[in-house]
Each structure stands twice: as structure tokens, then as C-alpha cells.
Amino acid sequence: MAVALKSAYLTIPVSDYKRSIEWYGEHFGFRVVTEDPFYVELVNDSGIRILFQQNDHGLRTALSWTTRKPCTTI
């Protein structure tokens, strides 16, 4: 089942770049376009871009879609 993201750009705090890149690649088709010590930028085939920033403050992110049930927390 494909999930359509409506935003053109998201910044997501993550605790593990590698694990997050793999998860978003597998589930949403994102691939890395820029790697920097401070962030990783990814894009999918629809042109949606997201930034992962290292989570040094214990912030948490959860995605939800039309069912309003949380997808996951990374």
C-alpha cells in the first residue's frame, strides 16, 4: 500500500541516520541526495524532499495518515 505524503519538505529529528535512511527508503522510496555532518537530505520519485537532523535533544516524530493511527516513531 502506497502512502502519499502531502508536504513538499519535512525536517525530521532522528537518532540514527543509517537506520532512518533504510526505513524511509524501504517504506517510502526515498534515496540520499546530500550527506553532511549536520543533516542528510533525501528525495523520492515524486520530488518530495526531507531532511534528517541528528536528534540530540530527545525529540520524537510520528507520522500518521488518513486512518489517524501512528505509523512509527524513529
Side-chain angles (χ1 to χ4, degrees), residues 2-71:
V3 176
L5 297 176
K6 305 276 184 200
S7 179
Y9 219 107
L10 297 169
T11 300
I12 302 171
V14 298
S15 60
D16 185 324
Y17 283 147
K18 184 175 187 246
R19 195 172 121 225
S20 299
I21 290 166
E22 290 172 359
W23 193 91
Y24 276 80
E26 179 183 338
H27 293 280
F28 299 116
F30 281 96
R31 63 190 178 283
V32 173
V33 292
T34 305
E35 286 191 67
D36 183 271
F38 302 105
Y39 70 91
V40 176
E41 182 179 4
L42 297 93
V43 66
N44 71 3
D45 290 338
S46 299
I48 296 172
R49 294 181 176 270
I50 59 175
L51 284 179
F52 290 153
Q53 290 185 318
Q54 187 62 41
N55 179 2
D56 294 326
H57 305 291
L59 301 173
R60 299 184 67 83
T61 298
L63 297 177
S64 63
W65 48 88
T66 55
T67 62
R68 299 290 183 207
K69 294 180 182 174
C71 172

